[in-house]
Amino acid sequence: MIRLIVGLGNPGPEYEQTRHNAGFWWVDAVARELKVHLVAERGYFGNVARASVAGQPVWLLEPMTYMNRSGQAVAALARFFKITPDEVLVVHDELDLAPGECKLKKGGGHAGHNGLRDIHAQLGSSDYWRLRIGIGHPGDKSEVANWVLKKPAPDQREAIEASLTRCLLALPDLLAGRMNEATARIHTSKPPRPKPPRQAPPAQAAGAEPSPAADKG
């Protein structure tokens, strides 16, 4: 089962609506769902809430250390409450997924994500669960740093919010350790792909009879 849910992001109002804070957005939604409030805990270097689910404690954490020191908060809380890496779910923005898509996975590399990189180092393990929230890619590697620290366009934010809502439906399965069921809920629904622009029918040659397709408009 999952005993610790960590949302990654940066503290401060200037970062609140930026793509890099997608992890915070989902943990905020989980807190509302579980009817708990995150409060600052200096000992855990972040905002923390404790919920009780089926008689078991579940911790929510938003590190306030800035992204590249996220592991400091995760390790402090996990070690104090003896939470193993496979009982941790880290929720983070994912460049390699389009807005509206989410993926659940366990283990793997950090793919250059500074928050994951520090969690790897601080926990001494990569064997934790990740909920990857798609934010899309700017198309140019040199633009990534600027991209994640900007607000998504309204249509992208709408797609991301829809994906967060879908992932929230998997929360009971995640907390119960039913990871196959959680994966099915999160992965099954994909955002609609944009329709290609409609092409105008070719011009009719002078004197030619219109085809049936053209006749139907």
Side-chain angles (χ1 to χ4, degrees):
M1 64 179 290
I2 296 298
R3 296 175 58 203
L4 170 59
I5 300 175
V6 183
L8 299 190
N10 287 307
E14 67 270 37
Y15 298 110
E16 189 173 347
Q17 302 301 321
T18 64
R19 294 179 176 94
H20 227 12
N21 277 37
F24 279 9
W25 301 345
W26 197 70
V27 169
D28 287 341
V30 171
R32 291 191 294 269
E33 182 75 12
L34 298 179
K35 297 179 173 57
V36 295
H37 297 281
L38 293 145
V39 297
E41 292 281 358
R42 292 181 62 186
Y44 303 126
F45 309 98
N47 294 338
V48 179
R50 180 188 185 277
S52 180
V53 178
Q56 298 296 323
V58 176
W59 297 92
L60 308 183
L61 170 64
E62 293 178 352
M64 292 288 114
T65 51
Y66 290 97
M67 186 65 78
N68 63 355
R69 295 295 304 277
S70 299
Q72 183 180 17
V74 178
L77 196 150
R79 286 170 183 160
F80 187 84
F81 291 104
K82 297 180 172 57
I83 298 171
T84 60
D86 65 350
E87 295 173 320
V88 176
L89 174 67
V90 176
V91 189
H92 65 91
D93 57 304
E94 177 56 68
L95 289 161
D96 292 335
L97 296 176
E101 291 191 46
C102 297
K103 297 289 185 183
L104 182 68
K105 66 175 286 189
K106 183 181 181 183
H110 54 69
H113 193 292
N114 288 333
L116 299 182
R117 188 196 309 272
D118 195 57
I119 293 171
H120 279 37
Q122 295 286 342
L123 287 183
S125 172
S126 63
D127 198 27
Y128 53 87
W129 288 90
R130 302 97 182 271
L131 178 56
R132 304 157 64 209
I133 308 295
I135 62 167
H137 196 286
D140 185 338
K141 189 176 181 180
S142 66
E143 292 295 321
V144 165
N146 190 43
W147 176 262
V148 299
L149 295 179
K150 279 190 173 181
K151 297 179 183 179
D155 60 328
Q156 293 178 350
R157 179 64 190 252
E158 184 178 346
I160 294 169
E161 289 290 349
S163 73
L164 298 178
T165 300
R166 186 174 77 249
C167 292
L168 199 60
L169 297 175
L171 182 63
D173 291 322
L174 290 167
L175 296 180
R178 297 189 294 266
M179 307 312 275
N180 288 339
E181 289 87 345
T183 299
R185 284 187 181 274
I186 291 168
H187 291 202
T188 298
S189 180
K190 291 186 177 181
R193 295 189 179 276
K195 294 180 180 178
R198 186 175 180 180
Q199 294 182 349
Q204 295 292 325
E209 290 293 324
S211 70
D215 201 31
K216 293 178 181 177

